Amino acid sequence: MKNQELQHGLVIAAYGKRYGVELDDGREISCVTRGKKTDLACGDRVNIKLTDTAEGVIESNHPRTSLLYRSNAFRSKLLAANVTQIIIVLATTPSFYEELLNRCLLAAEAAGIEVVIVLNKCDLGDKQEAMAKLQRYEALGYRVVHMSAHEDISPLRPLLQGHTSVLVGQSGMGKSTIVNALLPGQQVRTQEVSQVLDSGKHTTTAAHLYHLDADSHLIDSPGLQEFGLHHLDIEALERAFIEFRPYLGKCRFNNCRHLQEPDCALREAAERHEIHPERLQYYQSMAQELLR
């Protein structure tokens, strides 16, 4: 093409090595990156060169205000960039993994991103057990919303105003149903939950950004079954537990890992039930994972 000037755009879809980019004039372009670069996510602002009327190459990305990602010992998976809010979607059925909820909260705290916890499908199954689990997180100061996206999306809608939010959670929690309810014209594909496995089937295979209005945007991400935090060091991990913060620096030893060390302020607080013992156990399990 003759026009080789850089164009500015927004990554609105991430399909592995190919990205959907929305240009400032509203056109959607299918893009690849230079070389083997794949460290882009939905929400990234990028500079591209057009190679055809509807195709281009991403040359660079702008600095980010935030980045949500997960990692194991070998690789990282970017989930969303430049988001101001994480919506962790849980459901009464299939049952949710509380450890995965904790890991999502820790990733959000470490990235400095606000959190809303949504308990979806409150019209199905026994919601009392799920609600009781979430009282612990409400007590920590996290906002928890109870709703059924099939019946009424209004409890969530005002919380999205003015934010770029990303939906995260296990498969089958109803993320695509939430998007359908917020944007009926999008018709995001949904599937029935597998009753045998008590887990959701993957319906979103790529992250996608939707515009709710001029100031509010929503990224739907693929369902998670795990959320590795290998990119955090021990100090970042302990600070990501918000209720630990008043006790940090008060242990007998400066390098206390809060595992077996004597005179540990966190373990003593847990014994007094000022910190929930199970949250301390989550920390200890994750700390040992990072220290291996």
Side-chain angles (χ1 to χ4, degrees), residues 40-245:
L40 293 170
C42 261
D44 264 321
R45 300 290 303 181
V46 293
N47 300 313
I48 74 165
K49 278 186 179 178
L50 294 178
T51 56
D52 205 334
T53 54
E55 294 192 353
V57 176
I58 297 173
E59 298 287 351
S60 60
N61 60 290
H62 298 196
R64 297 163 172 144
T65 58
S66 67
L67 179 64
L68 179 67
Y69 66 105
R70 57 192 176 95
S71 61
N72 57 28
F74 307 103
R75 61 190 293 267
S76 297
K77 174 68 174 176
L78 306 191
L79 299 179
N82 300 317
V83 295
T84 57
Q85 184 170 253
I86 298 170
I87 311 294
I88 303 174
V89 183
L90 313 174
T92 57
T93 180
S95 53
F96 63 85
Y97 306 144
E98 196 167 354
E99 181 175 345
L100 187 62
L101 165 61
N102 275 286
R103 287 172 175 266
C104 290
L105 289 173
L106 297 174
E109 291 292 339
I113 306 172
E114 292 182 34
V115 173
V116 174
I117 301 171
V118 170
L119 180 62
N120 192 26
K121 304 187 184 181
C122 285
D123 58 320
L124 303 175
D126 180 9
K127 65 180 181 181
Q128 299 305 318
E129 181 180 352
M131 290 172 68
K133 281 184 182 180
L134 294 180
Q135 285 178 353
R136 180 187 313 169
Y137 302 93
E138 286 186 283
L140 292 175
Y142 291 111
R143 185 191 292 268
V144 178
V145 177
H146 305 146
M147 69 176 202
S148 171
H150 271 302
E151 294 184 347
D152 184 10
I153 199 67
S154 63
L156 178 61
R157 194 183 297 274
L159 302 180
L160 304 176
Q161 189 62 42
H163 282 282
T164 297
S165 305
V166 57
L167 299 176
V168 299
Q170 294 165 233
S171 300
M173 298 290 105
K175 297 189 302 297
S176 295
T177 303
I178 288 173
V179 177
N180 280 334
L182 291 166
L183 294 163
Q186 296 291 344
Q187 289 303 303
V188 179
R189 185 168 61 91
T190 59
Q191 286 183 342
E192 292 300 313
V193 168
S194 167
Q195 297 294 334
V196 175
L197 298 176
D198 188 33
S199 64
K201 300 176 183 178
H202 289 278
T203 58
T204 304
T205 56
H208 203 291
L209 184 148
Y210 302 94
H211 301 297
L212 300 175
D213 58 43
D215 302 313
S216 312
H217 316 281
L218 185 68
I219 297 173
D220 187 19
S221 65
L224 302 169
Q225 299 304 324
E226 60 182 3
F227 203 117
L229 295 170
H230 277 258
H231 54 285
L232 301 185
D233 58 26
I234 291 294
E235 288 73 20
L237 177 67
E238 64 184 13
R239 283 201 60 78
F241 285 82
I242 57 176
E243 70 273 39
F244 289 7
R245 293 172 188 171

